[in-house]
Amino acid sequence: MPEASPNRPAPARPRTPKPRTRRGQDTRDSLIKAAEAVIGEVGFAAASIADITRRAGIAQGTFYIYFQSKDEVFRELVLEMGKLTRGFLADAVADAPDRLTAERRGLRAFLSFVAERPALYNIVMEARFVAPDAYRAYYTTFARGYAQNLAAAAREGEIRDGDAEVRAWALMGMAVTLGERFAIWESEVDPDALVTEVFDMLERGLKP
Amino acid sequence: MPEASPNRPAPARPRTPKPRTRRGQDTRDSLIKAAEAVIGEVGFAAASIADITRRAGIAQGTFYIYFQSKDEVFRELVLEMGKLTRGFLADAVADAPDRLTAERRGLRAFLSFVAERPALYNIVMEARFVAPDAYRAYYTTFARGYAQNLAAAAREGEIRDGDAEVRAWALMGMAVTLGERFAIWESEVDPDALVTEVFDMLERGLKP
DNA sequence: CTTCAATATGACGAATGATTCATGTTTCAG
DNA sequence: CTGAAACATGAATCATTCGTCATATTGAAG
């Protein structure tokens, strides 16, 4: 590894073309699914292409018909995770009467999501080291939407004024860590109680 | 990798003995320092023993006099990071008049620390994948102290009652993510303003 | 000034695992 | 039905790097 570039300058990805056949699409799907399982369980470094193709029930070489490298599947997975999470949260929050309720439901939904797909969650976390740009994009995209919602709510007078971006990152950070601690590690704490507790602090503050 | 064990059951570490000589201690120190720099910059996987020893100005084989494996230096680094951070924060918070002030100063200090030693911070984050037990120990130790402080403050009436453990993890999560976003990535936001903003939310709550 | 344990060296053995490739097989448009 | 494009195969390639070892060197106790 002569040049380990921390800031890879837009890898100029030529993009493996999409499958042109039903069969091809199916194979690709199997690979993605297997990759999620394997990489999510044992981590990127420990997951070999052989592991992935074996799990998918497919020959090794076939992998390279659909992805240029191990890196590329990984990125694909991060992208997918982004879409899934955003969709899931959007649904959970869709008909909330106000922003604070929406936030509460959002956190609750996030915890459920993490508990149900720990593998995908691990992949996003590991992206910080395997695909920093994808990782950043994931959180930045999230934060943007989050901040917009908070700003709008402040405008409506639903919450006090304040820096929406800072708040967005602070809230996201809470969610991420709480998810890891109470949804992935074993937890004695009931998720609903957890959310209630957190929002007591967030809504009313810590001051007596 | 036949068995990729997510839960390694206490690796039965025979422990490389400490150096018996001044020279040995110096060499070990060089290696630790080099390892922090290299691993922190390029990540665990990309960092080779050769990179580390080269940076330390020492022969490859010498590495194995002081560490049994790449994993072992890494663990050492996580441990060190834990001690450093706790010491730094303890100092920063030492003579705060009350808990809320202490929290504020703690966050501010944490942001400075991260900004000054991003490599160490990266290592702790990566520990989630390289040395899960060390990672967990790091955060659990932190959270315990944090929760005790919060519980005490609640008892004193300095803050409202509430689940100290949940609060501790929520606050830690905020700090971690804010550190990454505003202290490691480029930031337009002034750290002091950031802290003020966050504590406005934490102390008074979001409700209008 | 010996002597031996501690420390240092760097070339090398061995394993690993990503990626390629030459060779089939399947699909589907026409 | 047919042939070209897609797709599939898995053995072979190839670069990388961990960790070992046989061989020095150092330094301090006696």
Side-chain angles (χ1 to χ4, degrees):
Chain A
M1 176 139 338
E3 327 279 301
S5 60
N7 303 321
R8 39 192 108 186
R13 207 141 14 112
R15 277 258 168 238
T16 311
K18 297 270 167 244
R20 312 224 174 282
T21 296
R22 176 60 195 274
R23 183 166 66 131
Q25 186 58 52
D26 288 349
T27 304
R28 206 190 118 104
D29 289 348
S30 311
L31 282 171
I32 286 267
K33 206 174 147 203
E36 172 184 332
V38 174
I39 297 180
E41 271 166 30
V42 308
F44 183 79
S48 69
I49 303 292
D51 289 337
I52 294 171
T53 52
R54 197 178 310 122
R55 179 118 174 192
I58 276 171
Q60 280 229 94
T62 306
F63 178 91
Y64 291 90
I65 294 172
Y66 298 100
F67 306 98
Q68 305 212 323
S69 64
K70 206 167 124 183
D71 248 78
E72 195 178 299
V73 228
F74 189 85
R75 278 163 198 285
E76 207 79 345
L77 287 172
V78 176
L79 263 308
E80 193 192 295
M81 173 62 168
K83 282 175 206 151
L84 272 177
T85 314
R86 283 192 297 272
F88 190 80
L89 291 192
D91 285 356
V93 156
D95 44 6
D98 57 64
R99 182 91 306 247
L100 280 173
T101 308
E103 290 307 330
R104 195 195 313 267
R105 289 186 190 167
L107 176 59
R108 184 67 187 80
F110 181 74
L111 294 176
S112 302
F113 190 76
V114 166
E116 269 166 40
R117 311 207 46 176
L120 263 190
Y121 181 79
N122 286 339
I123 286 169
V124 172
M125 294 288 98
E126 197 166 8
R128 185 168 191 279
F129 304 98
V130 177
D133 52 335
Y135 174 78
R136 238 176 120 133
Y138 176 88
Y139 279 108
T140 303
T141 303
F142 242 107
R144 184 164 23 248
Y146 216 143
Q148 276 168 1
N149 288 338
L150 289 172
R155 240 178 283 118
E156 303 292 326
E158 290 186 6
I159 60 178
R160 288 194 305 110
D161 263 330
D163 184 317
E165 203 197 355
V166 168
R167 282 177 172 177
W169 284 92
L171 295 174
M172 277 182 20
M174 277 185 25
V176 166
T177 300
L178 290 171
E180 177 161 338
R181 170 63 183 79
F182 295 104
I184 294 197
W185 298 1
E186 326 72 40
S187 166
E188 340 66 51
V189 181
D190 168 67
D192 288 311
L194 176 71
V195 172
T196 301
E197 189 61 43
V198 171
F199 269 83
D200 170 77
M201 174 174 79
L202 278 179
E203 293 180 357
R204 304 211 285 143
L206 286 171
K207 276 197 171 149
Chain B
M1 178 141 333
E3 326 279 302
S5 59
N7 303 322
R8 40 191 104 185
R13 207 140 16 110
R15 278 257 167 240
T16 312
K18 297 273 168 241
R20 312 226 174 278
T21 294
R22 176 59 194 274
R23 183 165 66 131
Q25 187 57 52
D26 288 349
T27 304
R28 207 190 117 103
D29 290 348
S30 310
L31 282 171
I32 286 265
K33 205 174 148 203
E36 173 184 331
V38 174
I39 298 180
E41 271 166 31
V42 309
F44 182 79
S48 69
I49 304 292
D51 289 335
I52 295 172
T53 51
R54 197 177 312 122
R55 180 116 173 196
I58 277 171
Q60 284 226 56
T62 305
F63 178 91
Y64 292 91
I65 294 173
Y66 298 99
F67 305 98
Q68 306 212 324
S69 63
K70 209 165 116 181
D71 248 78
E72 196 179 300
V73 228
F74 189 84
R75 280 164 196 284
E76 206 80 347
L77 287 171
V78 175
L79 264 307
E80 194 193 294
M81 172 63 168
K83 281 174 207 151
L84 272 178
T85 314
R86 283 193 296 274
F88 190 79
L89 291 193
D91 284 356
V93 156
D95 45 6
D98 57 64
R99 183 88 309 242
L100 281 173
T101 308
E103 291 307 331
R104 195 195 313 266
R105 289 186 191 167
L107 175 58
R108 185 65 185 81
F110 181 75
L111 294 177
S112 303
F113 190 75
V114 167
E116 269 167 40
R117 312 205 47 175
L120 262 190
Y121 181 80
N122 286 339
I123 287 170
V124 173
M125 294 287 97
E126 196 166 9
R128 186 170 191 279
F129 304 98
V130 176
D133 52 333
Y135 175 78
R136 241 174 116 134
Y138 175 89
Y139 279 108
T140 303
T141 303
F142 242 107
R144 184 164 21 250
Y146 216 142
Q148 276 167 2
N149 288 337
L150 289 172
R155 241 179 283 119
E156 303 292 325
E158 289 186 8
I159 60 177
R160 289 194 305 111
D161 262 331
D163 184 317
E165 203 196 355
V166 168
R167 283 178 173 177
W169 284 93
L171 295 175
M172 277 181 21
M174 276 186 22
V176 166
T177 300
L178 290 171
E180 178 162 338
R181 169 63 183 79
F182 294 104
I184 294 197
W185 300 359
E186 327 71 39
S187 166
E188 341 65 52
V189 181
D190 168 69
D192 288 311
L194 176 72
V195 172
T196 300
E197 189 60 45
V198 170
F199 269 83
D200 170 78
M201 174 174 80
L202 279 179
E203 293 180 356
R204 305 211 286 142
L206 287 172
K207 275 196 172 149

